Amino acid sequence: MGDIASQLIFHPTVSHALKYSGTTAGRDKAYRAVQYFARFYAWYLLSKGSKDRAERWSVLKAHLGTARKLLRLGKPVEHLQAALRAALSNGPFGEQLTTIARQISYFGFLTYDAFVWANAVKFIRLSPETAQKIQKSSFQLWFAGILFSIINSTLKTIRLIKESKRLKASKTWGEKDLADEAARDARLAAIKASRTATGQQLIIDTLDIWIPATGAGLVNVNEGVLGVFGLITSVLGMKAQWNGLK
């Protein structure tokens, strides 16, 4: 019995799960998945007339949202650093510009988000009108950040497709070209991996953008759809984070 317990407790998957939950990003993505499931399920219960049961899930959603804001308090500086690194780096102008714009937008979004959190926990006192304006500005900057991310991913995908076609077109065969062929194949493999990662990010952004767009009043998507979109992108993010720890 003890051997079975030891095998379960020290199973590689359990160890990896502990490593995953030990990271701030891992916990945030897990909280986000539960938060958006709660958002969907509360909407579903309300649509069925179960107000009391829906309230429990709405409260859970709200508390998880507040907890995630707390986890993100240091993130604005990270995005500001990322914007500066992008500005100092060399690369395609369009991709560089959209990367800087995205990081600055996320910096603004998370800065406003910190004020939203501080007001929610009563650390500061804002009038309802001011709190609403800050919340709306937060959503607008979040929307802008995702929009720049979509443009960046599109530009990067186009560049990678062109580079892949160019490499395949220049492929030659012969013993004297073995080293060049190996380097070309390695580059093609790297391009494929980059396209896969960029494509997944594009899917995530395409679904996520409706959340701040609705919060900013640009569109009106119901809570159920937003909950499903958020849950899907959370699971994709969790999977990427999980695989990244291997």
Side-chain angles (χ1 to χ4, degrees):
M1 188 68 179
D3 290 340
I4 296 176
S6 296
Q7 289 177 4
L8 289 174
I9 293 172
F10 292 109
H11 193 277
T13 302
V14 175
S15 299
H16 195 75
L18 291 173
K19 185 177 180 181
Y20 174 88
S21 63
T23 65
T24 301
R27 289 194 301 273
D28 179 62
K29 293 181 189 305
Y31 293 165
R32 189 181 192 272
V34 178
Q35 177 190 355
Y36 278 97
F37 172 77
R39 186 171 189 170
F40 160 74
Y41 198 51
W43 169 85
Y44 172 77
L45 291 172
L46 277 175
S47 69
K48 298 296 182 180
S50 302
K51 293 183 179 180
D52 291 339
R53 293 174 62 194
E55 185 178 1
R56 294 168 57 193
W57 290 93
S58 293
V59 170
L60 176 62
K61 176 197 72 175
H63 280 295
L64 284 172
T66 302
R68 291 185 59 236
K69 285 177 175 28
L70 176 60
L71 290 176
R72 297 196 299 256
L73 284 181
K75 292 286 288 182
V77 179
E78 291 182 25
H79 287 288
L80 202 58
Q81 289 180 338
L84 181 58
R85 283 194 295 268
L88 297 174
S89 66
N90 295 319
F93 177 74
E95 292 178 41
Q96 183 182 30
L97 185 63
T98 50
T99 296
I100 295 170
R102 176 184 62 193
Q103 298 296 347
I104 292 176
S105 296
Y106 284 148
F107 165 76
F109 153 55
L110 292 170
T111 299
Y112 277 115
D113 203 49
F115 284 102
V116 173
W117 170 83
N119 184 60
V121 299
K122 310 301 181 184
F123 185 74
I124 61 174
R125 298 280 183 171
L126 299 175
S127 67
E129 295 79 10
T130 301
Q132 187 175 7
K133 287 180 180 179
I134 291 176
Q135 179 73 81
K136 187 173 183 179
S137 296
S138 176
F139 279 125
Q140 289 171 338
L141 286 164
W142 183 9
F143 173 82
I146 297 179
L147 183 60
F148 284 124
S149 183
I150 290 174
I151 297 172
N152 179 270
S153 294
T154 302
L155 293 174
K156 187 175 182 179
T157 299
I158 293 171
R159 175 176 60 81
L160 291 173
I161 290 173
K162 288 181 178 178
E163 185 177 356
S164 179
K165 287 182 177 179
R166 179 178 58 79
L167 286 172
K168 290 177 180 178
S170 66
K171 193 167 186 176
T172 58
W173 302 96
E175 292 184 3
K176 63 179 181 180
D177 298 317
L178 287 178
D180 290 340
E181 292 297 332
R184 187 180 294 110
D185 289 343
R187 179 56 187 160
L188 284 170
I191 290 174
K192 182 179 179 181
S194 184
R195 283 184 62 184
T196 299
T198 303
Q200 179 166 302
Q201 186 60 51
L202 190 57
I203 292 171
I204 290 173
D205 289 336
T206 302
L207 294 175
D208 271 347
I209 197 170
W210 299 102
I211 300 170
T214 299
L218 301 176
V219 295
N220 185 24
V221 180
N222 71 54
E223 289 287 292
V225 173
L226 296 180
V228 171
F229 283 176
L231 178 60
I232 292 171
T233 57
S234 296
V235 171
L236 291 174
M238 288 174 67
K239 181 181 177 182
Q241 179 71 13
W242 179 275
N243 292 335
L245 292 175
K246 290 182 177 179

